[in-house]
């Protein structure tokens, strides 16, 4: 699903060194390493199947373990929809970095604070859709308070 670029590899054989280009065409990974390699949610996430878009369940009924009940019809992943999901994830992260940069400026207007707060809300909503509610840690939640914290702690930065 993810294309790899050729890498220069140095080979040592009989005290001679030569360079070759190599492309990984197959590999054996444990599930967490595979998720990392594919830029996907880890194996205990709600949308962690690398082959389809099944959404896991986690409740008292499942003893707080993410499970994937049997379904007759499955929407399979392919290169196109995998790349689309990856692009959405990257765009969301880039938007977050831009918003944090805005909040870190030496001065910020009231309008920019409102805009940053709106973008942080959107990021948190997108994050939950992309990674599942299980990944909504307190660090993600605290993003919802970031614009207000900038407002409360840096009146000297505010341009009216």
């Amino acid at each position: 699903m993810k294309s790899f670029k050729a890498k220069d590899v140095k080979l040592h054989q009989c005290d001679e060194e030569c360079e070759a280009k190599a492309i990984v065409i197959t590999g054996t990974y444990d599930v967490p390493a595979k998720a990392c390699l594919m830029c996907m949610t880890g194996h205990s996430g709600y949308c962690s199947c690398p082959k389809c878009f099944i959404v896991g369940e986690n409740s008292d009924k499942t003893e707080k373990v993410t499970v994937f009940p049997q379904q007759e019809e499955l929407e399979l992943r392919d290169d196109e929809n995998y790349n689309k999901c990856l692009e959405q994830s990257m765009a969301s992260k880039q938007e977050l970095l831009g918003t944090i940069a805005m909040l870190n400026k030496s001065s910020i207007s009231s309008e920019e604070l409102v805009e940053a707060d709106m973008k942080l809300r959107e990021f948190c909503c997108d994050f939950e859709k992309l990674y599942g509610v299980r990944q909504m840690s307190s660090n993600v939640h605290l993003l919802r308070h970031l614009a207000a914290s900038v407002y409360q702690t840096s009146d000297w930065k505010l341009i009216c």
Side-chain angles (χ1 to χ4, degrees):
M1 289 191 174
K2 189 174 182 181
S3 60
F4 293 94
K5 294 186 178 181
K7 284 278 207 186
D8 289 331
V9 178
K10 291 187 179 184
L11 304 172
H12 299 277
Q13 189 173 10
C14 301
D15 295 329
E16 291 183 34
E17 184 178 296
C18 65
E19 288 191 25
K21 293 233 183 242
I23 299 175
V24 176
I25 56 173
T26 188
T28 303
Y29 311 96
D30 64 1
V31 175
K34 183 176 182 179
C36 182
L37 181 71
M38 295 178 70
C39 299
M40 290 188 63
T41 301
H43 66 285
S44 61
Y46 289 103
C47 298
S48 60
C49 179
K51 302 292 185 183
C52 72
F53 288 101
I54 189 170
V55 177
E57 295 178 11
N58 184 314
S59 66
D60 290 335
K61 180 174 80 175
T62 66
E63 298 178 4
K64 300 292 184 193
V65 174
T66 303
V67 297
F68 300 90
Q70 171 61 25
Q71 292 182 3
E72 290 302 317
E73 297 295 321
L74 297 171
E75 180 187 356
L76 299 179
R77 294 181 189 268
D78 59 25
D79 286 348
E80 185 178 330
N81 57 35
Y82 171 77
N83 288 332
K84 183 180 176 185
C85 290
L86 188 59
E87 287 169 11
Q88 287 174 332
S89 175
M90 295 307 290
S92 184
K93 290 173 185 172
Q94 287 175 333
E95 186 73 27
L96 174 64
L97 292 175
T99 303
I100 291 173
M102 181 191 311
L103 291 170
N104 278 324
K105 294 187 329 182
S106 59
S107 63
I108 187 165
S109 68
S110 297
E111 292 81 16
E112 288 173 315
L113 276 172
V114 170
E115 179 184 351
D117 187 56
M118 180 191 69
K119 287 182 176 185
L120 291 168
R121 286 173 187 259
E122 288 175 11
F123 175 83
C124 290
C125 287
D126 291 345
F127 188 94
E128 185 173 350
K129 288 176 192 169
L130 286 168
Y131 302 106
V133 72
R134 171 66 180 89
Q135 303 304 318
M136 296 295 290
S137 67
S138 89
N139 290 330
V140 176
H141 169 75
L142 285 171
L143 290 172
R144 292 290 311 274
H145 301 288
L146 193 56
S149 294
V150 168
Y151 176 77
Q152 291 168 347
T153 60
S154 51
D155 289 334
W156 57 272
K157 287 177 67 171
L158 195 59
I159 299 174
C160 298

